[in-house]
């Protein structure tokens, strides 16, 4: 029995050493600037879906690490939606809806290898919708509460630059209505306003740039 325990002990020590050595080789999480090119797909908003078409969303975020992969950040993004020309004809023939958001975020990043890592994040902030069309009322965008959850997986192209795929869910405490376009109703519909807040499935890609110098080493990645 003692021999078996001794063999097991001698087997575990090298494995533990290898695990520690691998952990030392993994890159550290550092302060970064992240950019996103995404597509927000509206969910559970039939009026908004039938009247608009998604153009895209651009965003930029600064992230700072705290400890053991946890960190915080601040960011902003802008989304664009086009008004379908035939959806409201002849009342509205063209137009655009812009959504600007400012948010703070908390994230967890963990390297899965020397060149790959994942990120989990939660964010909250404010969103403002700007309606631009011939009949739209000239009023300032009203701020609304915004929150979201997301994940991403990144691969390094260079030591400080990585690219990845992102997926998330977002919601804004605002409901689309005919009055936002200066109308009393929608053609062919009895409803004049959404029954749910604006919510989106967000898919896309992003890049991350580390805010640090590359170490002077011949080994590289």
């Amino acid at each position: 029995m003692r021999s078996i325990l001794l063999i097991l002990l001698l087997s575990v020590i090298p494995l533990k050493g290898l695990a520690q050595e691998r952990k030392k080789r993994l890159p550290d999480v550092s302060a970064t600037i992240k950019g996103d090119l995404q597509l927000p797909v509206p969910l559970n908003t039939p009026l908004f879906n039938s009247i608009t078409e998604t153009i895209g969303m651009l965003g930029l975020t600064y992230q700072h690490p705290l400890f053991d992969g946890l960190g915080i950040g601040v960011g902003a993004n802008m989304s664009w939606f086009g008004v379908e020309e035939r959806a409201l004809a002849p009342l509205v023939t063209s137009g655009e809806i812009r959504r600007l958001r400012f948010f703070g975020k908390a994230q967890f990043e963990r390297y899965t290898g020397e060149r790959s890592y994942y990120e989990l994040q939660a964010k909250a902030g404010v969103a403002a919708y700007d309606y631009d069309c011939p009949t739209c009322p000239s009023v300032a965008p009203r701020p609304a509460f915004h929150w979201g959850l997301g994940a991403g997986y990144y691969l390094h192209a260079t030591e400080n630059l990585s690219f990845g795929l992102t997926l998330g869910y977002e919601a804004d405490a605002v409901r689309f209505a005919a009055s936002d376009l200066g109308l009393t109703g929608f053609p062919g519909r009895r409803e004049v306003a959404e029954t749910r807040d604006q919510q989106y499935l967000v898919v896309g890609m992003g890049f991350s740039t580390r805010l640090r110098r590359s170490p002077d080493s011949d080994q590289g990645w």
Side-chain angles (χ1 to χ4, degrees), residues 24-102:
K24 290 179 181 179
R25 291 199 309 266
L26 294 180
D28 61 309
V29 177
S30 60
T32 58
I33 294 290
K34 285 193 172 178
D36 299 298
L37 174 60
Q38 299 174 311
L39 188 69
V41 181
L43 298 175
N44 299 319
T45 50
L47 295 177
F48 192 82
N49 287 355
S50 64
I51 293 167
T52 65
E53 57 181 353
T54 302
I55 299 174
M57 180 171 73
L58 294 175
L60 197 65
T61 306
Y62 167 76
Q63 297 183 182
H64 189 80
L66 296 178
F67 62 91
D68 197 24
L70 293 174
I72 57 175
V74 292
N77 58 39
M78 175 74 83
S79 304
W80 290 268
F81 304 90
V83 177
E84 290 276 6
E85 295 184 3
R86 298 179 180 179
L88 299 172
L91 300 176
V92 176
T93 57
S94 64
E96 186 178 71
I97 300 173
R98 296 179 290 271
R99 178 185 65 163
L100 177 63
R101 294 180 303 169
F102 298 95

Side-chain angles (χ1 to χ4, degrees), residues 157-179:
T158 66
E159 188 152 0
N160 285 341
L161 179 63
S162 58
F163 296 91
L165 300 176
T166 60
L167 176 66
Y169 171 84
E170 299 176 349
D172 302 324
V174 63
R175 299 185 179 185
F176 178 64
S179 58

Side-chain angles (χ1 to χ4, degrees), residues 131 142 172-177 180 193-198:
Y131 301 91
R142 296 192 306 268
D172 302 324
V174 63
R175 299 185 179 185
F176 178 64
D180 294 325
E194 295 284 9
T195 58
R196 297 183 180 90
D197 291 344
Q198 290 294 115

